[in-house]
Amino acid sequence: MEKSKLMDAQTLSRTLMRISHEILERNKDLSNLVLIGIQTRGTHLAKRIQKNLSTIEGIKIPMGYLDISLYRDDLNQKGAEIKVQKTEISFDLNGKNIILVDDVLFSGRTIRAAIDELMDFGRPERIQLAVLIDRGHRELPIRPDYVGKNVPTSLKEEIQLFLTEVDGKDEVELR
Amino acid sequence: MKWNRKHLLGLEDLSQEEIEYILKTAESFKDISIRPIKKVPALRGKTIATVFFEPSTRTRTSFELAAKRLSADTLSITAIASSVVKGESLKDTVRNLEALKVDCMIVRHECSGVPHLISRYLEASVVNAGDGSHEHPTQALVDLFTILEKKKTLEGLKVVIVGDILHSRVARSNIFGMTKLRMNVQVVGPRTLIPKEIERLGVSVSHRLDDVIPEADVLMFLRIQSERQKKNLFPSLREYSENYGMSIQRLKNTKPDCLIMHPGPINRGIELASEVADGPQSVILDQVTNGLAVRMAVLFLVAGGGE
């Protein structure tokens, strides 16, 4: 299938820096702000945002990561394919202002599962959503607060995100 | 890898990759028990039955709690409360359970091969929770998981399994699993309790515990199963304990980081001295805690998979 490059390493880095600034603009009080990345690539993006926030503001925002496998609504169809990873949130979520970070927003079902799982850890004050790419086709009423790039896609197309931490390069492709 | 098995009947027919996949999955499940809400919705809507024709406390409760932590509905059948005592055949009993739309049956039976037999005529998934002297796969997975957790690796470790190897399904499953994961397994016990030609399973044999203790990374003691012994296979419990029991004196000859394991229930003073069972090298309670995570992983893989 033909592919086109949506972001190179530099664009990706700038996009994450812009999202980091937007997070700071909207959240004046950083004392109860936490970052939660959705496994696997959302975690790496959250780490980069955490680093950006530290560079800009000089403070380290607490970070956790979430594996949503056990909260999926399609286990019956995909059970055999699902690989359960770790969820690790080492702080209390009650009253926290959470920035949930994922790579690509599509149907919204992953985010629904993530919110359900977060609620099992406590009652956050607010959950905001940051995604690198919003490709549309929502099946649930979920809207991101921070978007790196809106990419209207057809259902036949695929967005592929490569990150240095797992893939050896930073790049976003449309296939 | 992709999990493609509907049943878990033993470790003999699992590949190394499949065993490692279960252990890896269990790692993710361990944290659930320390969360504020100790429950995930993974098996919501599924019904899991524990069908135990033999007494058990820890395995049955461990499976039941594992199912509940995954949000499945559970029902528990024991032999004394089942229609088997009224003359109903085993096949009819489990088929009636299946007619109640049970998705997974966890079966324990005193006869080897019963879970395999049941799996042939049921649509539901079957998990072997111990069949006669044959296999007890989840206990062996728990043991492997606990060793891995403590030692960070399995390959090359020397494991000594001590006691009634002849009647032990735990030993058999552990031997299958451990040899597949390239661990060195040695079995130790009186000649009457070591099956003939067990070396064919890739293990070495010794009859003297004191000779093998200094080299062991793991010492696994098995319960003397008086209920399975129809004849006297050793002179007395006292003599058995003197030769094969783990005393404080013997503990001094172990490597400082040697793990002491026992699948439970322990006959205190026979297989293990109380000071050893409750001592710092003992991981017996870790085995119980890990049992939950491993059984959650197994239920998730066999019952949570594709229809």
Side-chain angles (χ1 to χ4, degrees):
Chain A
M1 190 178 277
E2 205 175 300
K3 61 181 180 182
S4 62
K5 197 190 281 186
L6 296 175
M7 280 188 195
D8 58 16
Q10 197 179 33
T11 320
L12 200 150
S13 167
R14 282 181 180 159
T15 305
L16 289 176
M17 185 54 89
R18 175 173 55 77
I19 289 177
S20 307
H21 278 288
E22 285 176 7
I23 290 171
L24 289 173
E25 276 170 31
R26 268 208 232 176
N27 298 277
K28 304 295 178 204
D29 176 16
L30 302 182
S31 63
N32 71 338
L33 194 72
V34 297
L35 288 159
I36 302 283
I38 298 178
Q39 294 267 39
T40 310
R41 285 174 175 74
T43 301
H44 297 300
L45 294 176
K47 275 184 197 159
R48 294 192 194 187
I49 292 173
Q50 184 192 38
K51 201 174 165 193
N52 288 345
L53 295 177
S54 166
T55 309
I56 304 164
E57 285 290 311
I59 56 162
K60 195 172 180 187
I61 305 289
M63 204 202 118
Y65 49 91
L66 203 62
D67 177 67
I68 57 99
S69 310
L70 302 170
Y71 288 75
R72 292 176 70 115
D73 57 13
D74 58 355
L75 272 176
N76 281 346
Q77 292 94 51
K78 293 208 166 167
E81 295 166 24
I82 288 169
K83 194 174 177 188
V84 184
Q85 300 179 78
K86 278 204 135 189
T87 288
E88 199 167 304
I89 299 170
S90 56
F91 42 81
D92 186 6
L93 282 187
N94 284 303
K96 291 286 189 299
N97 187 4
I98 297 175
I99 310 286
L100 186 61
V101 183
D102 202 9
D103 51 358
V104 179
L105 180 59
F106 182 32
S107 67
R109 288 174 189 268
T110 297
I111 305 303
R112 192 279 309 160
I115 293 170
D116 274 2
E117 186 168 1
L118 285 175
M119 291 300 183
D120 277 355
F121 278 88
R123 187 183 182 277
E125 185 184 290
R126 184 174 293 112
I127 300 175
Q128 300 170 57
L129 175 61
V131 295
L132 185 67
I133 305 285
D134 182 354
R135 63 167 291 192
H137 305 289
R138 214 78 77 241
E139 291 166 11
L140 298 171
I142 280 167
R143 182 183 57 81
D145 299 279
Y146 311 97
V147 182
K149 192 176 176 68
N150 282 295
V151 184
T153 57
S154 85
L155 281 169
K156 287 180 190 163
E157 287 170 321
E158 254 183 51
I159 301 273
Q160 202 152 16
L161 168 66
F162 299 94
L163 291 176
T164 316
E165 295 88 331
V166 271
D167 312 297
K169 63 172 179 179
D170 278 351
E171 204 170 282
V172 183
E173 282 178 5
L174 175 70
R175 288 168 188 251
Chain B
M1 98 161 238
K2 216 170 155 181
W3 183 263
N4 285 320
R5 286 181 188 269
K6 191 175 159 191
H7 312 292
L8 179 72
L9 301 173
L11 294 196
E12 187 176 12
D13 59 343
L14 290 194
S15 66
Q16 179 191 342
E17 200 186 8
E18 284 172 315
I19 295 172
E20 285 170 345
Y21 188 74
I22 299 173
L23 299 180
K24 188 83 196 154
T25 307
E27 208 184 298
S28 320
F29 280 95
K30 191 157 179 190
D31 299 337
I32 293 169
S33 296
I34 51 171
R35 292 184 188 178
I37 308 277
K38 299 172 180 57
K39 221 172 162 84
V40 291
L43 294 188
R44 191 167 49 198
K46 303 270 184 185
T47 305
I48 293 175
T50 54
V51 189
F52 276 53
F53 296 97
E54 234 189 14
S56 160
T57 308
R58 72 198 69 210
T59 305
R60 190 172 51 78
T61 48
S62 180
F63 266 116
E64 267 187 39
L65 195 54
K68 284 175 178 159
R69 294 263 159 100
L70 294 168
S71 301
D73 292 319
T74 57
L75 46 119
S76 177
I77 311 293
T78 52
I80 198 109
S82 79
S83 300
V84 173
V85 293
K86 297 179 187 171
E88 189 182 47
S89 75
L90 174 74
K91 186 176 172 182
D92 282 339
T93 302
V94 294
R95 290 189 75 178
N96 274 284
L97 276 174
E98 190 173 54
L100 294 170
K101 306 300 173 202
V102 165
D103 299 288
C104 179
M105 279 185 215
I106 298 148
V107 181
R108 169 171 285 193
H109 202 283
E110 62 184 352
C111 297
S112 302
V114 165
H116 294 71
L117 181 77
I118 290 173
S119 71
R120 276 182 227 145
Y121 46 69
L122 288 189
E123 283 299 312
S125 296
V126 176
V127 176
N128 181 359
D131 60 331
S133 306
H134 179 225
E135 280 225 48
H136 192 347
T138 58
Q139 181 60 48
L141 289 165
V142 170
D143 298 340
L144 289 166
F145 183 85
T146 307
I147 298 170
L148 184 60
E149 188 179 61
K150 301 287 175 193
K151 298 280 190 186
K152 311 294 174 212
T153 183
L154 293 175
E155 193 174 340
L157 289 182
K158 177 155 189 181
V159 183
V160 176
I161 308 177
V162 187
D164 186 357
I165 312 294
L166 183 67
H167 298 96
S168 176
R169 52 197 177 205
V170 174
R172 194 177 286 265
S173 281
N174 262 308
I175 290 168
F176 290 135
M178 288 172 171
T179 50
K180 275 178 187 160
L181 298 177
R182 299 194 196 91
M183 300 169 82
N184 300 315
V185 186
Q186 185 160 42
V187 294
V188 177
R191 287 175 200 282
T192 48
L193 294 180
I194 305 277
K196 284 192 176 63
E197 300 190 21
I198 194 164
E199 293 92 339
R200 286 187 178 189
L201 298 181
V203 304
S204 56
V205 178
S206 171
H207 303 292
R208 290 177 53 84
L209 180 59
D210 290 315
D211 292 352
V212 300
I213 278 179
E215 298 296 316
D217 296 300
V218 177
L219 282 163
M220 182 183 291
F221 292 86
L222 303 172
R223 186 171 64 87
I224 286 298
Q225 302 186 40
S226 42
E227 76 273 21
R228 285 187 216 286
Q229 292 178 23
K230 306 291 181 214
K231 52 189 175 184
N232 294 330
L233 294 171
F234 49 84
S236 71
L237 284 175
R238 188 172 158 206
E239 188 183 307
Y240 177 86
S241 180
E242 271 174 23
N243 289 321
Y244 300 104
M246 193 64 185
S247 59
I248 280 283
Q249 200 53 41
R250 284 200 166 107
L251 195 67
K252 288 177 186 158
N253 297 327
T254 62
K255 290 183 186 175
D257 60 347
C258 174
L259 304 178
I260 305 291
M261 305 182 83
H262 193 298
I266 310 168
N267 294 309
R268 283 180 183 257
I270 299 174
E271 299 109 35
L272 296 176
S274 273
E275 296 89 336
V276 177
D278 304 328
Q281 285 172 248
S282 165
V283 293
I284 295 167
L285 290 177
D286 298 271
Q287 288 174 270
V288 179
T289 305
N290 290 337
L292 194 55
V294 167
R295 290 182 177 108
M296 282 171 83
V298 167
L299 291 179
F300 175 75
L301 291 171
V302 300
E307 301 280 276

